[in-house]
Amino acid sequence: MTARSCLTVVLAAGEGTRMRASRPKVLHAVAGRTLVGHVLAAVQATGGRIAVVVGPGADAVTAEVKRAAPDAAVFVQAERRGTAHAVLAARAALEQGADDILVVFADTPLIRPETLAALRAPLAAGAAVSVLGFRPADPTGYGRLVTDGADLVAIREEKDASPDERAIRLCNAGLMGLSGAHALALLDRIDAANAKGEFYLTDAVALARKAGLRAAVTEAADDSEVLGVNTQGQLAEVGAVLQQRLRAALLDAGVTMAAPETVHLSADTAIARDVTIEPYVVFGPGVTVAEGAVIRSFSHLEGARVGPGAIVGPYARLRPGAVLENDVHVGNFVEIKAATVEAGAKANHLSYIGDARVGAKANIGAGTITCNYDGVLKHRTDIGAGAFIGSNSSLVAPVKIGDGAYVGSGSVITADVPADGLAVARGQQTVKPGWAARWRAVAAARKKP
Ligand code: UD1
Ligand code: MG
């Protein structure tokens, strides 16, 4: 059998009002990715063309769609007149044709590619409409699936349902498949003669039946997959489910986590086997951790690459552009940004390393700061291999410390230090023997009445 072509229409015209937020609903993020970004990732894994329908003036949504799925075509639904009306906003994409048309909601971010594939299977077997069903604990608000044996007869929206129909537990999850051969004809026949006065996509089922075509229902393997987001509470709930999935996948892949429930991951977090993650670690987007590394408690990483055998934390912060090569040690209260720390180098305590290179096996003493910012521009610090930076030094960039050089502690370094040289840049120490005892005597005499 040749592979069937697919067009997925993603409805992303939802607003953020019920979330009491100014930003559009589908731009809220869980696990370091927007809701629409999660849906697009699942759709991309399915393959085929993508059309996204956004509301009027939704430039931010369009920008995020283009970022996440550069090949997606974006359509605007000028007025919110129902789910079928929204799908038809992508008419030009539908007219190009595809064997299977999938309709998914951008506010249902937990949908998996396997489920999208399951939704397509009945279409390949000749059904004109394929619906994803589920049995929520509380069916209020969902469309009910009216069945006749194995056949799907109609979807009745809550507001239009009879008391008998409301008693049906099997509900419409919202995702739908349409056979490309019939999709436009069915969609064009949908009217707005219902309680909400909207063009319901769900009417495609009854219309297909009337035309002598078949509609099928597939039950979701896992209810959590079709959780929609309308409130901040639901956003958090969806986030929690996603975290569980991500943690389980890492544990399966051979990552050790003593308290996985305290580790916060991003959808793109890539962690190799034999890595240990201690409790209470946060991974923002764009982090990779190589084999054998240890991420200790209370560390926060984003946009960072941790090399094999590196040890990070406790209490370390790796910001975007941090690259730790093999066996690097980064300890407590050390922040690294846009800097490569080469193999075997150590920065164990209380440091800021930004816009820098730290050469192999260099040692960065406690309290070392790269002064990378002059209030206007950022400048680079280059620290050579095997250099030793004494504690509490300020390296005022741009500056270069040569291979094997020493910097005396407490120095403020404003000029390059040659390889194997020593730079000391601090007030010279004076020692006055007996001074303290004399001072105490003077002070005590003054204190007497
Ligand atoms: C819809 C289904 C219902 C199902 C439920 C699952 C219809 C008519 N009803 O109801 O059977 O049980 O989802 O959650 O489809 N949208 C637009 N433009 C519009 C209207 C909606 O883009 O004009 C988008 C929304 O942003 C959302 C999705 O379509 O992403 C669903 O719309 P919503 O109003 O939430 O439909 P429900 O009433 O929840
Ligand atoms: Mg809804």
Side-chain angles (χ1 to χ4, degrees), residues 11 77 81-88 103 105 198-202:
L11 302 190
Q77 183 194 20
R81 300 190 61 194
T83 42
H85 183 261
V87 174
L88 281 171
V103 179
F105 298 164
E198 284 189 358
F199 294 87
Y200 288 164
L201 176 62
T202 44

Side-chain angles (χ1 to χ4, degrees), residues 156-170:
R156 198 77 69 222
E157 292 305 300
E158 166 116 356
K159 282 199 172 154
D160 304 290
S162 68
D164 276 359
E165 286 168 340
R166 277 187 202 185
I168 297 172
R169 304 304 301 241
L170 185 59

Side-chain angles (χ1 to χ4, degrees), residues 112-185:
R112 290 178 307 131
E114 295 88 327
T115 304
L116 294 178
L119 203 56
R120 289 176 67 187
L123 302 178
V129 182
S130 168
V131 169
L132 187 66
F134 76 128
R135 295 173 194 273
D138 175 9
T140 311
Y142 291 107
R144 307 299 205 279
L145 300 186
V146 182
T147 49
D148 178 8
D151 288 346
L152 179 60
V153 176
I155 306 179
R156 198 77 69 222
E157 292 305 300
E158 166 116 356
K159 282 199 172 154
D160 304 290
S162 68
D164 276 359
E165 286 168 340
R166 277 187 202 185
I168 297 172
R169 304 304 301 241
L170 185 59
C171 291
N172 175 22
L175 288 87
M176 194 181 275
L178 296 162
S179 102
H182 304 289
L184 267 172

Side-chain angles (χ1 to χ4, degrees), residues 319-377:
R319 289 174 52 204
V323 176
L324 311 188
E325 295 186 346
N326 299 27
D327 304 312
V328 160
H329 292 188
V330 167
N332 38 264
F333 306 106
V334 172
E335 173 180 348
I336 304 211
K337 184 219 73 168
T340 298
V341 183
E342 294 177 353
K346 292 180 184 169
N348 272 331
H349 333 267
L350 302 157
S351 264
Y352 172 62
I353 311 289
D355 302 303
R357 175 188 76 102
V358 176
K361 296 211 162 140
N363 188 84
I364 307 297
T368 297
I369 306 290
T370 55
C371 309
N372 60 328
Y373 187 47
D374 61 14
V376 182
L377 298 170

Side-chain angles (χ1 to χ4, degrees), residues 279-443:
Y280 299 101
V281 173
V282 175
F283 292 90
V287 177
T288 62
V289 182
E291 276 188 36
V294 178
I295 313 295
R296 305 193 60 195
S297 294
F298 307 109
S299 294
H300 189 283
L301 300 83
E302 57 185 318
R305 238 167 60 210
V306 177
I311 301 176
V312 174
Y315 296 99
R317 179 166 184 208
L318 302 186
R319 289 174 52 204
V323 176
L324 311 188
E325 295 186 346
N326 299 27
D327 304 312
V328 160
H329 292 188
V330 167
N332 38 264
F333 306 106
V334 172
E335 173 180 348
I336 304 211
K337 184 219 73 168
T340 298
V341 183
E342 294 177 353
K346 292 180 184 169
N348 272 331
H349 333 267
L350 302 157
S351 264
Y352 172 62
I353 311 289
D355 302 303
R357 175 188 76 102
V358 176
K361 296 211 162 140
N363 188 84
I364 307 297
T368 297
I369 306 290
T370 55
C371 309
N372 60 328
Y373 187 47
D374 61 14
V376 182
L377 298 170
K378 302 274 171 69
H379 303 281
R380 289 194 62 78
T381 300
D382 191 80
I383 299 169
F388 181 94
I389 312 298
S391 296
N392 202 33
S393 293
S394 302
L395 308 177
V396 181
V399 73
K400 274 195 168 139
I401 314 295
D403 290 351
Y406 264 62
V407 168
S409 42
S411 291
V412 177
I413 298 295
T414 55
D416 291 356
V417 181
D420 294 320
L422 166 70
V424 184
R426 61 182 184 227
Q428 201 142 42
Q429 181 169 331
T430 45
V431 176
K432 299 184 177 176
W435 183 94
R438 286 198 299 279
W439 162 249
R440 275 193 296 273
V442 170

Side-chain angles (χ1 to χ4, degrees), residues 220-287:
D222 169 10
D223 277 9
S224 70
E225 204 173 325
V226 296
L227 278 175
V229 175
N230 285 309
T231 63
Q232 295 285 355
Q234 288 167 339
L235 183 71
E237 199 182 325
V238 157
V241 172
L242 211 47
Q243 290 299 330
Q244 263 169 23
R245 274 195 201 169
L246 294 167
R247 292 169 190 139
L250 286 187
L251 292 168
D252 274 353
V255 174
T256 300
M257 291 187 275
E261 69 283 5
T262 67
V263 174
H264 191 93
L265 300 159
S266 282
D268 65 355
T269 306
I271 301 184
R273 66 197 192 115
D274 293 330
V275 168
T276 298
I277 303 169
E278 292 186 355
Y280 299 101
V281 173
V282 175
F283 292 90
V287 177

